[in-house]
Amino acid sequence: MNAFDFLTPQRNPKIGTGITMMLDKGMGPVHVIDLLEISGQYVDMAKFGWGTSAIHNREIIQEKVEIYQSYDVNPYPGGTLFEIAYLQNKLDEFLNEVDGLGFGAVEISDGTIEISPDERERIISVVKDNGFLAITEVGKKDPDKDHLLTPEKRLEIVNRDLEYGADLVIMEAREGGKGIGLFDSHGEVKEDDLQILIEGTDVEKIIWEAPQKNQQAYFILKFGANVNLGNIPPDEITALETMRLGLRGDTLGKVNLG
């Protein structure tokens, strides 16, 4: 039983909605255990950011993957590492290593490279055929290139990826959440752009990268406690869950827990 249990609304974050994707930028195994011991029930997925897992000892990465899975968290390597493998024509080797390390999902992105729609469809199929959860990402890392993507184009890519069989689609916001995707240079949501996505696709299949507190609060108030949020810093997992439950001033008395 939690402390102050009589004051806490009930929400089950493991029922297939309300995904929280945490960004692991290279935590050690002991740090991961400490974090998950206190907040593991509020984490659904853990992204090993960009190419961080490629510069750490293989056995340590394997150990971390096993720790995450023991807490019912699905870990996966970042999309940039996938892009590097694709550029080097080593997708098969990449998937073999992902499998060998025990990861349960693969992120398919073209944030820094170009992948044709046909290739994207083929890769999604290959990833799923290998037994992984297929997660795609929409958006570019370079703000100048990302700004060329109209809301309608983002919507087209989202729906196409879902049609190709992607299990989830991430809306790119990077680690900072400013000047990328749905966020302006101040980190505020571009509501007109968001509305086009809301009206045109299944938002329950989208993970909104929202690294900043004001962004997390916005999406919770917009969609309710079970909105899918990503790129959450490890030290803000507990804080995010309190916002989901209306236990923080930003959402107190305002949040839909359904």
Side-chain angles (χ1 to χ4, degrees):
M1 179 181 293
N2 291 340
F4 300 101
D5 188 61
F6 57 92
L7 295 177
T8 308
Q10 297 301 308
R11 187 185 81 90
N12 183 354
K14 300 286 187 183
I15 59 174
T17 59
I19 292 171
T20 294
M21 179 265 279
M22 186 187 76
L23 183 61
D24 181 333
K25 297 189 290 184
M27 295 189 298
V30 174
H31 189 174
V32 172
I33 292 172
D34 284 345
L35 172 72
L36 296 180
E37 189 63 27
I38 193 167
S39 297
Q41 62 183 309
Y42 309 124
V43 184
D44 299 277
M45 309 184 77
K47 178 193 291 191
F48 286 42
W50 46 98
T52 53
S53 53
I55 64 169
H56 290 156
N57 181 279
R58 191 177 188 278
E59 292 182 357
I60 292 177
I61 296 299
Q62 208 163 17
E63 179 184 2
K64 285 179 58 178
V65 167
E66 291 173 357
I67 292 169
Y68 276 119
Q69 291 176 337
S70 73
Y71 285 87
D72 197 25
V73 175
N74 193 356
Y76 67 98
T80 300
L81 199 59
F82 157 80
E83 293 181 33
I84 292 169
Y86 181 82
L87 277 179
Q88 296 183 11
N89 197 29
K90 295 179 179 178
L91 183 59
D92 288 343
E93 294 92 330
F94 172 78
L95 293 178
N96 286 337
E97 181 75 340
V98 170
D99 182 54
L101 291 168
F103 287 110
V106 171
E107 182 178 311
I108 302 157
S109 69
D110 59 359
T112 52
I113 64 176
E114 298 297 329
I115 299 178
S116 70
D118 287 346
E119 268 292 87
R120 203 166 170 108
E121 180 180 17
R122 181 186 71 83
I123 294 167
I124 291 171
S125 178
V126 168
V127 166
K128 291 180 71 69
D129 285 347
N130 277 271
F132 300 109
L133 190 76
I135 307 168
T136 62
E137 186 172 58
V138 176
K140 295 294 185 181
K141 306 295 186 188
D142 183 337
D144 291 334
K145 292 182 179 179
D146 189 74
H147 292 164
L148 297 176
L149 292 175
T150 64
E152 292 79 10
K153 184 62 177 179
R154 292 183 203 276
L155 175 62
E156 177 189 330
I157 297 171
V158 169
N159 285 335
R160 191 176 62 211
D161 284 353
L162 292 175
E163 181 182 342
Y164 289 163
D167 296 291
L168 295 163
V169 179
I170 295 172
M171 295 305 298
E172 174 73 80
R174 303 208 68 183
E175 183 186 358
K178 289 184 178 182
I180 288 286
L182 296 175
F183 300 118
D184 64 20
S185 59
H186 301 289
E188 300 295 329
V189 175
K190 295 186 281 189
E191 295 191 0
D192 291 343
D193 291 10
L194 175 62
Q195 193 61 35
I196 290 172
L197 287 169
I198 292 173
E199 294 175 356
T201 194
D202 181 1
V203 294
E204 291 188 2
K205 296 289 188 178
I206 295 180
I207 298 178
W208 312 96
E209 288 190 343
Q212 298 185 28
K213 185 192 80 166
N214 66 299
Q215 297 165 352
Q216 297 158 18
Y218 176 91
F219 284 115
I220 289 169
L221 294 175
K222 183 77 172 179
F223 296 108
N226 285 320
V227 64
N228 302 325
L229 298 174
N231 272 17
I232 307 301
D235 61 353
E236 294 182 17
I237 293 298
T238 292
L240 171 59
E241 187 62 19
T242 61
M243 277 203 290
R244 287 190 188 273
L245 293 175
L247 295 173
R248 191 170 181 173
D250 307 82
T251 57
L252 178 61
K254 305 173 185 177
V255 64
N256 175 13
L257 296 173

